[in-house]
Amino acid sequence: MSLQPRRVLLISATIGEGHNATARAVAEAAEQRWPGCEVSWVDALAEMGGWVPRTFNWIYATNVESTPWLYDLFYSALWRWRWFADSSRRFVGAWSGRRLRAPVAAHRPDLIVSTYPLGTAGLDWLRRRGELREVPIAAVISDFSPHPFWVYPEVDLHHVMSEVSLREMRRAEPDAVGAVSVPPAVGAFHPADRTAARTAAGLPADGFAVVITCGSLGFGSVERAVRAARRADGVDRVVVVCGRNAALRQRLTDLADPRVVPLGWVEDMPGLMAAADAVITNAGGATALEALACGRAVVMFEPIAGHGKANAELMAEAELAELCWDADQLTALLRRWTEQPDALTQLEQRALKHAQAGDFAEQVAALAEVPRHHGRRPLRPQDAFFVHATTPTVPQQIGTVLRLTGSELSTHEWGEHLTERIRTHAAGLPMLNRRLVRRRGRRPEWVHDASIDPADHLRCREPRSGRQHADLVEEFFRTPVRTDRPPWELLLIQEEGDEEATLLAKMHHALGDGIAVNGTLVRLLCDVPPPHARRPGDAPPWYRRAGAVLRGLVSLARVGAAPAGGFTGRSTPDRTFGWLELSAREVRATARERGVSSSALLLAAVAEGLHRLLDDAGGAAPEQRVRVMVPKTMRTARGGAGLDAPGNHTASFAVDLPVGPMPVRRRLAEVTARLAAAERGGHPAAAVAVLRALGALPAPLHALVVRTIYRKRFFHAVVSVMPGRRSPAHVAGALIEQVLPVLSLADGVGIGIGAINWGEGVGFGITTDPGLAPHADALAEHVRGAFGDLRRLGAHG
């Protein structure tokens, strides 16, 4: 569509005046920015049935006035029980969506903006059924607290009222997309001269005046607020907007207090707010936002049940309002403001700063450029695999440890340098600006997130000892990466005055395999990214691939469950990490002397290390085997999946490592033979075909199958040998001397081992679940010793 829509459709509702007030602000902005644009309105409640508006208004007023405990119960249930919120939203969404379908189609909009949550629910329902895919949909949330009924994953953008509101939005619906908006108020609500406004309103120019306004229905603790204000010395005028509540206005008139000015329906609310020193309200909706737009101090007094309390608390947390839970607090606050006007001025300045942080008309204009459906796209089956394999105790994330030497930067300078690199380079790296969207019963999707905040992804720490350094490493890799933002994090560790630094990185495994992670880090961090270690080869012809798949499928069908034993059981959230580095030159030389590949040699060292680990625990049976999953890169130049391409381009196949007592020479021969047999049998190609086939299943079934096969029943450990880079690389002048990979475990599997060739070394990172396997340091030492024996074996024929 054009960047200037011809038709904009507003979805609002007449339940009070707050939602319509927000819609009027959107309409004014649209007409200002897009001259000639047709702006149409739909009342969601009226479309849901002729009886609905009156009934819903009655229910709302009754709950607030007579049964606030019931409204509180419903509101808290939305937050406490996700199933309750989801079922309620689905019910309302289906009802609203069916009724909105016809009017939306009749208006043929180029842009839809909802200011009412039930309307937004209906739009979400329509989107879930494949409708409105070509029309941007936005929601402008006039409540400070976006509760679960306000927020929906199918909406392209939610405008919320502050950073704390954005946090609550993500808590209500982690898959929702949001941005902070200035108060959505028509242009008449703006800072104005207080004296002139009082003259226009017929109020005395001098003295302290408060305006009490609690929506068009004038309900809540209005009369208690009046009594509290009257008790405050220094308050000269108490102007009360009663709206359509004639009984309230009459009761206040009967007070016969010259300081109290009861008003009915007020046409010039902007002028009245401009005349006030403070605006007292109780819901935190449109009235409070309009007061902020005027730069006036807002007081939330005895907020109404449910969303009113939540709004008040968030406004107070954002320091945009004062919160008074009872009359005594309100009286004391007003007295303090009359005696110490500087405190009032500070709140007004914060309100002005918030209101003038942007231009609402420009923010509305930007909605035309919002990517339809946020540019969402489903994950490839190979990437979705690791989303489904994640469990609460076993997050699927991979990481890297970079050892940096020769650093001349302090920790603070490191932070500034890395922040600048993220700010200037992250946008051009696809892996770093993808946010994971998960919806129950739906395929996981990527959403492009261009607003990368370095503070969300980078931390720097200065440990006081080696023990603290190790603790920071363990805590970093043990903690799941956050998924409410692009799922990657960096941690820079440097002891004060040290010329060495350690940079830790972790990413959700769905973003990519270890090769992609290291390639992305190099491009993000390095002063001059080094050339590729090697160019990936071309894929074989289709008929050879088809033959390999057929052979592999037959072979895979014969594999069956893993042998008995191994380092498996019930997973725990604890992790231990072990590290070692072997000489890359010695690895290559030993492999040549024995006539095996470097991968086979390293797998044999792992097998011998596992044998010695089992010996420590009482010994292994003569024929005992440990089944390991071995990922193999499937990156090809012709397929476009080069060494740095995002995503997982690996195929894992099973190899049963012999770990019983035997000479080292024989163990090397058996490992080499088993590895070659798996590759000859077409296991990697078959694994790719199986993953793609699983991706065609419905999402719930796909998830169930993945969780069934990626667990202890079928293997005991993961061992990955990755290609790396031999040429030196530098970050801020410091040499990346060592790279150590960190693998994730699988459910019930206790060992993960990664190895990568970097520069002059082959770095190993070993992860264990201490509830299932010994400490990773023990296995690292055994692998080191095993390689020494293999090397000596090679040297002597």
Side-chain angles (χ1 to χ4, degrees):
M1 60 171 256
S2 166
L3 294 184
Q4 175 166 331
R6 293 172 298 164
R7 292 177 294 275
V8 175
L9 180 61
L10 302 178
I11 309 291
S12 184
T14 303
I15 182 165
E17 275 300 307
H19 303 291
N20 286 337
T22 303
R24 282 193 291 272
V26 176
E28 180 184 79
E31 290 161 356
Q32 175 186 333
R33 292 293 173 173
W34 303 314
C37 174
E38 176 188 334
V39 180
S40 304
W41 291 57
V42 168
D43 188 308
L45 288 181
E47 295 295 335
M48 291 169 70
W51 57 274
V52 173
R54 179 175 295 182
T55 304
F56 274 44
N57 273 276
W58 177 83
I59 291 172
Y60 179 52
T62 301
N63 274 333
V64 171
E65 290 280 65
S66 305
T67 57
W69 60 268
L70 184 60
Y71 191 23
D72 272 335
L73 180 65
F74 173 75
Y75 190 81
S76 63
L78 289 176
W79 286 102
R80 183 173 300 174
W81 296 304
R82 182 66 188 229
W83 65 267
F84 177 74
D86 286 345
S87 59
S88 300
R89 296 195 305 172
R90 281 195 294 269
F91 171 76
V92 171
W95 180 5
S96 172
R98 288 187 173 93
R99 296 302 187 100
L100 287 175
R101 178 183 278 138
V104 169
H107 285 91
R108 296 179 294 116
D110 299 312
L111 170 66
I112 302 175
V113 181
S114 174
T115 64
Y116 181 57
L118 272 61
T120 312
L123 297 172
D124 175 84
W125 185 85
L126 290 170
R127 266 276 179 87
R128 285 178 178 273
R129 275 143 191 81
E131 302 176 49
L132 304 179
R133 292 283 169 178
E134 297 305 314
V135 182
I137 296 175
V140 180
I141 301 177
S142 54
D143 278 349
F144 235 77
S145 177
H147 53 72
F149 249 118
W150 254 126
V151 187
Y152 295 88
E154 298 290 336
V155 172
D156 295 315
L157 184 66
H158 299 79
H159 268 317
V160 298
M161 296 301 106
S162 71
E163 290 293 340
V164 294
S165 304
L166 196 62
R167 180 199 68 201
E168 288 299 282
M169 182 207 75
R170 288 170 176 156
R171 187 165 74 95
E173 176 52 73
D175 297 338
V177 176
V180 176
S181 165
V182 295
V186 296
F189 290 95
H190 61 81
D193 180 74
R194 188 177 277 115
T195 301
R198 289 186 178 183
T199 301
L203 298 172
D206 298 325
F208 192 95
V210 300
V211 170
I212 301 175
T213 172
C214 295
S216 63
L217 302 177
F219 55 43
S221 305
V222 178
E223 290 169 278
R224 281 198 294 276
V226 172
R227 288 195 293 271
R230 291 169 68 196
R231 290 199 303 269
D233 301 331
V235 173
D236 300 289
R237 285 291 182 275
V238 181
V239 182
V240 187
V241 180
C242 301
R244 298 188 179 94
N245 194 332
L248 171 63
R249 185 181 184 189
Q250 186 59 54
R251 290 195 300 272
L252 295 177
T253 301
D254 292 343
L255 291 176
D257 185 340
R259 292 191 301 161
V260 178
V261 183
L263 304 175
W265 185 260
V266 175
E267 294 293 342
D268 186 19
M269 278 300 296
L272 187 59
M273 286 188 175
D277 288 290
V279 176
I280 301 173
T281 187
N282 61 2
T287 298
L289 298 174
E290 289 165 350
L292 291 177
C294 291
R296 293 299 179 253
V298 178
V299 182
M300 299 298 298
F301 173 65
E302 292 189 10
I304 62 175
H307 72 287
K309 293 179 181 177
N311 289 341
E313 289 171 346
L314 281 196
M315 289 191 75
E317 182 180 342
E319 298 185 324
L320 294 173
E322 290 286 347
L323 175 55
C324 296
W325 291 108
D326 57 43
D328 289 341
Q329 289 181 349
L330 178 57
T331 300
L333 174 66
L334 294 176
R335 282 176 179 159
R336 179 162 60 89
W337 279 352
T338 58
E339 295 169 358
Q340 303 173 22
D342 287 348
L344 178 64
T345 301
Q346 289 176 6
L347 185 55
E348 287 182 335
Q349 289 173 345
R350 288 197 294 270
L352 273 175
K353 181 179 179 181
H354 179 72
Q356 296 176 348
D359 185 321
F360 184 64
E362 290 183 1
Q363 291 173 332
V364 170
L367 296 179
E369 304 178 41
V370 171
R372 297 174 183 86
H373 207 43
H374 346 306
R376 283 184 175 179
R377 58 189 184 83
L379 272 68
R380 300 164 56 249
Q382 299 94 317
D383 303 331
F385 183 95
F386 293 103
V387 176
H388 297 318
T390 296
T391 71
T393 53
V394 188
Q396 293 300 306
Q397 58 192 32
I398 53 177
T400 299
V401 178
L402 305 182
R403 308 283 193 194
L404 307 172
T405 60
S407 169
E408 297 182 357
L409 302 182
S410 66
T411 306
H412 176 72
E413 290 169 333
W414 267 117
E416 290 183 334
H417 175 79
L418 296 174
T419 294
E420 183 60 24
R421 293 290 301 189
I422 293 170
R423 185 174 289 120
T424 56
H425 288 71
L429 296 169
M431 283 180 64
L432 302 185
N433 47 56
R434 293 176 174 177
R435 186 168 63 82
L436 184 63
V437 173
R438 297 191 65 183
R439 295 169 293 165
R440 190 171 301 172
R442 305 292 295 275
R443 299 182 188 280
E445 295 175 314
W446 290 126
V447 174
H448 178 76
D449 191 342
S451 57
I452 301 297
D453 184 351
D456 288 341
H457 301 274
L458 171 67
R459 291 179 296 139
C460 298
R461 294 290 183 268
E462 285 188 345
R464 295 189 180 90
S465 65
R467 180 64 263 172
Q468 284 189 356
H469 187 291
D471 290 344
L472 286 171
V473 173
E474 290 189 8
E475 179 187 7
F476 179 79
F477 288 119
R478 187 174 60 242
T479 305
V481 66
R482 294 183 59 170
T483 56
D484 60 341
R485 59 196 62 176
W488 57 275
E489 297 174 21
L490 303 176
L491 174 63
L492 188 284
I493 304 175
Q494 182 182 39
E495 295 184 35
E496 187 175 1
D498 198 345
E499 292 188 356
E500 295 187 359
T502 302
L503 185 62
L504 313 180
K506 63 182 176 185
M507 297 183 181
H508 197 293
H509 209 330
L511 282 174
D513 50 39
I515 296 174
V517 168
N518 285 303
T520 295
L521 286 176
V522 163
R523 291 184 175 277
L524 174 67
L525 302 172
C526 289
D527 304 334
V528 178
H532 294 312
R534 61 178 179 83
R535 182 177 181 269
D538 287 335
W542 69 267
Y543 53 86
R544 290 187 181 176
R545 296 200 303 273
V549 169
L550 289 175
R551 291 195 309 274
L553 290 174
V554 172
S555 183
L556 283 178
R558 298 173 179 169
V559 170
F567 306 94
T568 58
R570 185 172 182 176
S571 292
T572 75
D574 295 329
R575 297 290 181 269
T576 68
F577 302 94
W579 323 99
L580 74 144
E581 185 177 58
L582 306 177
S583 165
R585 184 176 301 174
E586 291 179 356
V587 168
R588 292 191 295 269
T590 304
R592 283 195 303 270
E593 289 171 3
R594 300 309 306 160
V596 299
S597 68
S598 294
S599 295
L601 178 70
L602 295 175
L603 274 175
V606 168
E608 179 66 23
L610 292 172
H611 162 69
R612 297 178 186 188
L613 198 67
L614 289 168
D615 261 1
D616 293 344
E623 299 301 319
Q624 187 169 344
R625 292 169 293 155
V626 170
R627 178 169 295 174
V628 298
M629 296 301 294
V630 181
K632 177 185 178 182
T633 182
M634 305 298 285
R635 294 169 181 270
T636 62
R638 181 176 297 173
L643 288 176
D644 299 330
N648 290 272
H649 300 274
T650 58
S652 293
F653 55 96
V655 177
D656 289 346
L657 299 181
V659 295
M662 66 178 63
V664 175
R665 183 191 305 275
R666 179 185 163 194
R667 198 179 313 279
L668 174 61
E670 286 205 21
V671 169
T672 302
R674 292 173 187 268
L675 185 63
E679 296 207 46
R680 278 198 314 272
H683 287 196
V688 171
V690 169
L691 285 178
R692 289 175 177 168
L694 291 178
L697 297 173
L701 185 56
H702 186 197
L704 176 63
V705 173
V706 168
R707 287 192 290 268
T708 300
I709 64 176
Y710 199 63
R711 57 185 304 183
K712 63 183 179 181
R713 179 183 174 190
F714 293 100
F715 60 99
H716 304 133
V718 179
V719 182
S720 178
V721 179
M722 293 169 274
R725 301 173 187 270
R726 297 187 188 180
S727 55
H730 295 82
V731 178
L735 174 67
I736 303 179
E737 187 173 60
Q738 187 181 63
V739 175
L740 304 168
V742 180
L743 268 60
S744 60
L745 302 178
D747 188 24
V749 174
I751 296 178
I753 303 173
I756 187 169
N757 187 339
W758 187 275
E760 296 301 316
V762 177
F764 275 77
I766 299 176
T767 306
T768 68
D769 180 336
L772 305 178
H775 197 287
D777 281 341
L779 179 55
E781 287 305 311
H782 283 316
V783 172
R784 189 192 308 276
F787 176 73
D789 288 351
L790 287 166
R791 183 184 171 215
R792 286 187 289 274
L793 176 67
H796 295 91

